[in-house]
Amino acid sequence: MTVTRADDDTIVLDNVRHFYLEHIFESGQCFRWNASGEGSYIGVAMGHVLEICQHGQNVVLHPCTMEEFERVWRRYFDLDTDYEGIKHSLAGDPILDKAMGFGYGMRLLRQDPWECLISFIISANNRIPRIKGIIEQLSMRYGKPLEYKGSLYYDFPSPNELAVHTPDNIYECRCGYRAPYIVETARIIAAGEIDLKAIEGMEYDEAHRALMKLPGVGPKVADCVLLFGMGKGEAFPVDVWIKRVVEQLYLPNASLKDIKKWAYQRFGRLAGIAQQYLFYYIRENS
C-alpha cells in the first residue's frame, strides 16, 4: 500500500489489498457509516466526519490531511495488519475458507472504546437499522456538530455529556429498557470508577470480567467491546448466528462456555477475526 496526498484535504491509498468497504461497514461491527454512492461511505468516528471512496484497490479519504490519516485513520482501519498472513494462518477449515473468500475485504476496525461500549449495550436484542437510529439520535441530541459539504453530522457524546441526563431523557432516543444502563454506565465512566483505558491494558480474562461490572454488559457485549474497541483478538462474541453455525457444523449442543473454549483452542488470538468472517458469511447467506 502506498499513501499519497492528492491535495491539502484528500489522501489516496493505492494498492490496498484485503480491504473492501461493504465487508467492513456492513458486517455488524460498527453503526455510524452509511453508503453514499457507488463504492462510497460517509461516517463519523474518532471525532471526525469522513467520506471514503473505493474503486478496486484505490481508496480515497476526504476530508483528511496526512497528519490526520497517520494519527487516526491508519489505526482505525487496521491498515498495518497483515491480513494475507491471517488468512494463511486460518486456512484449512472448509467452512471458514468459504467465509474468508466471501468476506475477502473484511478488516476489524479499531473503534473508540467508549462509543463501542454504548453502541453494543444498545445492540442487545436489537436489529442493526434500529441500533443505528438510536445511536444517531443520541449523537444528534447530545454530541458535538460536525459540518461536511453543507450538512451537519454529530460526534458521539462523551461520558460527561451523557452522565448529566436522566434515563427519561435518554429514553426519548427510543432506546427502551437500555436507557438506565446508558446513563449509569456514563456516570461510572465519567466519575472514574471504571477506567476503560486501564481495561484495554489488561489481559483478556481480566478485561472481560471488568467490563461485565458495567450495567447492561453481558458476555457477548463485553467480547464485542474487547474485539472492536480494544483490539483483543482472542475475543469471540457469540450471538444467535455464531451459536447456530458452531452447533450445526462443529460442536453439537454446546454451551456458551464450550463455544468460547473451542474458539480459542482452534483459532487462538485470531478467534475474533475468524468470528467476523463467519458472522458475515452466515448472516448474508442465511
Side-chain angles (χ1 to χ4, degrees):
M1 181 186 77
T2 58
V3 183
T4 57
R5 189 176 73 176
D7 53 46
D8 288 343
D9 62 355
T10 303
I11 296 297
V12 178
L13 313 180
D14 290 313
N15 195 30
V16 187
R17 302 181 65 234
H18 311 286
F19 186 100
Y20 186 54
L21 295 178
E22 182 178 339
H23 296 169
I24 295 168
F25 293 143
E26 306 293 347
S27 63
Q29 64 175 310
C30 59
F31 306 103
R32 300 294 311 277
W33 296 89
N34 295 293
S36 61
E38 188 175 347
S40 177
Y41 281 78
I42 296 179
V44 180
M46 315 300 285
H48 299 270
V49 57
L50 181 76
E51 184 169 13
I52 182 167
C53 308
Q54 180 171 13
H55 299 284
Q57 295 184 352
N58 177 273
V59 177
V60 179
L61 294 80
H62 177 86
C64 181
T65 64
M66 186 65 76
E67 184 276 334
E68 181 184 313
F69 171 77
E70 295 294 346
R71 176 173 51 85
V72 177
W73 301 116
R74 180 186 283 275
R75 183 175 185 272
Y76 181 82
F77 287 112
D78 205 22
L79 291 171
D80 292 322
T81 294
D82 178 11
Y83 277 80
E84 185 166 351
I86 287 173
K87 291 175 182 178
H88 179 76
S89 296
L90 292 173
D93 178 303
I95 303 301
L96 186 54
D97 286 346
K98 287 182 181 179
M100 289 191 293
F102 182 79
Y104 59 87
M106 182 71 66
R107 282 179 181 257
L108 292 179
L109 299 175
R110 292 297 302 271
Q111 301 174 62
D112 172 66
W114 159 248
E115 180 175 347
C116 195
L117 170 62
I118 298 300
S119 296
F120 281 99
I121 288 175
I122 291 167
S123 78
N125 302 311
N126 222 339
R127 291 178 171 272
I128 287 177
R130 191 160 181 268
I131 298 165
K132 294 178 75 166
I134 294 168
I135 293 171
E136 201 60 34
Q137 282 292 314
L138 280 173
S139 301
M140 289 174 65
R141 287 171 182 258
Y142 308 118
K144 296 180 177 64
L146 304 165
E147 186 175 355
Y148 177 60
K149 289 185 175 179
S151 296
L152 282 180
Y153 298 82
Y154 296 87
D155 194 14
F156 191 78
S158 69
N160 289 333
E161 288 168 328
L162 289 181
V164 296
H165 295 282
T166 67
D168 284 344
N169 295 147
I170 304 301
Y171 185 81
E172 293 176 1
C173 297
R174 302 178 182 176
C175 54
Y177 69 87
R178 305 163 193 86
Y181 300 155
I182 294 169
V183 172
E184 181 61 11
T185 296
R187 187 200 64 76
I188 290 170
I189 302 300
E193 295 173 20
I194 289 181
D195 183 348
L196 293 180
K197 192 67 178 175
I199 292 175
E200 190 171 355
M202 296 174 183
E203 292 298 318
Y204 167 77
D205 287 336
E206 183 183 5
H208 196 268
R209 288 192 297 270
L211 282 174
M212 285 185 58
K213 294 177 182 178
L214 289 163
V217 178
K220 185 223 170 186
V221 170
D223 273 324
C224 287
V225 176
L226 291 171
L227 182 61
F228 304 130
M230 296 185 177
K232 304 290 186 190
E234 60 268 56
F236 192 84
V238 180
D239 71 345
V240 64
W241 296 100
I242 291 296
K243 191 172 191 302
R244 186 179 300 157
V245 76
V246 172
E247 287 186 328
Q248 288 181 355
L249 301 175
Y250 297 106
L251 207 65
N253 303 314
S255 67
L256 172 62
K257 185 177 180 180
D258 291 337
I259 291 173
K260 293 186 67 171
K261 182 178 179 181
W262 165 83
Y264 187 72
Q265 289 175 341
R266 193 175 186 95
F267 305 121
R269 292 187 179 272
L270 298 178
I273 184 62
Q275 182 272 354
Q276 197 64 5
Y277 284 124
L278 287 169
F279 174 81
Y280 185 65
Y281 176 66
I282 296 158
R283 198 188 67 179
E284 295 298 309
N285 295 279
S286 60

